[in-house]
Amino acid sequence: MCTSVTGLRQWGTVPVSWCPCRDNVEWTEDQETAAKHKVLENSQPLPSEKQEDYENRANEYWNDFYKIHENRFFKDRHWLFTEFPELAPGRGRKLQTAVDCDGQTVQNHTGSASAQSVSECLDAMTLRKNDFPGSSATYRILEVGCGVGNTVFPILKTNNVPGIFVYCCDFSSTAVELVKSNEEYEPKRCFAFVHDLCNESAVFPVPDESLDIIVLIFVLSAVHPDKMQKSISRLSKLLKPGGMILLRDYGRYDMAQLRFKKGRCLSDNFYVRGDGTRVYFFTQDDLDGIFTSAGLEKVQNLVDRRLQVNRGKQLTMYRVWIQCKYRRPLPQVSGTQD
């Protein structure tokens, strides 16, 4: 950790030689105190009518964002497969699904199996061999909040093997059109669609219990806090038993939160940017409560604190992200009958 600079100067300009770039940085008590003070300074919420306006116009703001930036704003996330190897199931090992619906075994992602007929173990399964996009695939991934495809296209490139199908959706129709117009978009392996995660009546193009992986990368933070629980509960129903939700998002006291000025706070730890898009900053407990209330079990829930250095501008930037993996429990398998 960096001990040569304390207090609010941690968030400003610091000579690069004072603080090397490091991962897994532990904060000092002074840093933590300074961050809390900074957040409290700018915690006065906007009037309710302003907040309602940002909620009602959320789609408009995100469409404008992608019209302006198109695909120039983001870089492909090649770190995905280090942090989330579940997104590359065909890399160096046999492709396995959360639940084998066609065979006679139920197995988890590590390959352990219990000899039990599917008809006995999965009476509640709603997945059927209907004609939906990717219905013949053996491993299905859905990215929620796909933007212009900076997660989807690396997944497609890395998993160039039969049996894998990728779905991707976004609140913004502009973003989805940019994905579909990309030369790397393959309708035979991928299905992009517009979807409002907060709309409880909106229908997904896949049946319940049909997905192996759902991934949300800096997406849930854009949802109003009052709507997060129902959104995750809806998604959890799409998972096969043993399937997982993978999440990476902004953590409490991230640099981005500390940079917000007065007049940008909507509610506790929830802010609006200058372009009208919104962002929430999570704690581990926030996310654990949301996922477990949706009936999922924790596989991973960690804080990733990093010190990044911009040598050109002589700036040190403290980033805080939270990374989670939560799994839908496997069905209980009864003991062997005599």
Side-chain angles (χ1 to χ4, degrees), residues 41-283:
E41 278 185 347
N42 304 323
S43 61
Q44 182 64 35
L46 290 172
S48 57
E49 59 270 19
K50 280 276 191 180
Q51 297 196 38
E52 186 176 348
D53 182 64
Y54 283 120
E55 175 70 15
N56 294 335
R57 298 177 61 190
N59 182 266
E60 175 187 338
Y61 288 126
W62 279 111
N63 273 326
D64 288 346
F65 175 88
Y66 287 111
K67 286 176 182 177
I68 293 170
H69 298 289
E70 294 185 340
N71 62 355
R72 297 184 297 271
F73 190 79
F74 302 101
K75 295 180 180 180
D76 287 343
R77 298 157 174 165
H78 298 293
W79 51 265
L80 278 173
F81 308 110
T82 300
E83 302 296 337
F84 298 132
E86 297 85 358
L87 295 175
R91 180 185 278 182
R93 62 187 177 91
K94 185 178 179 181
L95 180 63
Q96 295 174 335
T97 59
V99 172
D100 183 355
C101 299
D102 296 319
Q104 297 297 313
T105 61
V106 179
Q107 55 190 356
N108 61 25
H109 285 286
T110 63
S112 61
S114 300
Q116 190 75 279
S117 71
V118 171
S119 59
E120 292 175 347
C121 293
L122 303 177
D123 290 338
M125 285 289 287
T126 58
L127 177 62
R128 298 290 181 266
K129 294 182 179 180
N130 294 333
D131 186 19
F132 64 90
S135 59
S136 62
T138 55
Y139 198 91
R140 305 184 188 94
I141 299 171
L142 165 66
E143 185 193 9
V144 179
C146 63
V148 297
N150 299 84
T151 294
V152 169
F153 293 123
I155 291 174
L156 290 172
K157 288 179 186 177
T158 301
N159 292 294
N160 191 19
V161 294
I164 298 176
F165 197 90
V166 181
Y167 307 87
C168 59
C169 65
D170 202 280
F171 188 35
S172 167
S173 58
T174 302
V176 172
E177 286 306 312
L178 287 169
V179 170
K180 289 183 175 180
S181 64
N182 192 303
E183 62 182 10
E184 296 181 0
Y185 181 71
E186 299 181 50
K188 292 183 179 179
R189 302 176 57 213
C190 183
F191 183 76
F193 59 101
V194 177
H195 189 87
D196 180 359
L197 185 60
C198 297
N199 183 353
E200 296 179 48
S201 63
V203 178
F204 288 100
V206 296
D208 288 351
E209 301 189 350
S210 61
L211 300 177
D212 293 273
I213 297 293
I214 299 173
V215 58
L216 300 97
I217 306 296
F218 300 103
V219 170
L220 191 61
S221 54
V223 173
H224 192 287
D226 291 346
K227 298 181 178 181
M228 290 179 183
Q229 183 63 68
K230 288 186 177 180
S231 297
I232 293 299
S233 294
R234 288 183 65 225
L235 290 174
S236 68
K237 295 177 182 179
L238 300 177
L239 289 172
K240 299 175 183 177
M244 280 196 286
I245 292 182
L246 313 178
L247 176 143
R248 190 172 177 86
D249 220 320
Y250 297 104
R252 191 70 46 85
Y253 309 137
D254 177 64
M255 172 196 73
Q257 181 177 17
L258 301 180
R259 283 184 169 181
F260 277 108
K261 306 297 184 183
K262 292 181 180 180
R264 289 293 170 188
C265 182
L266 298 172
S267 60
D268 289 347
N269 305 298
F270 190 45
Y271 304 83
V272 61
R273 302 183 181 97
D275 60 6
T277 62
R278 299 169 300 172
V279 58
Y280 184 86
F281 296 87
F282 294 98
T283 65

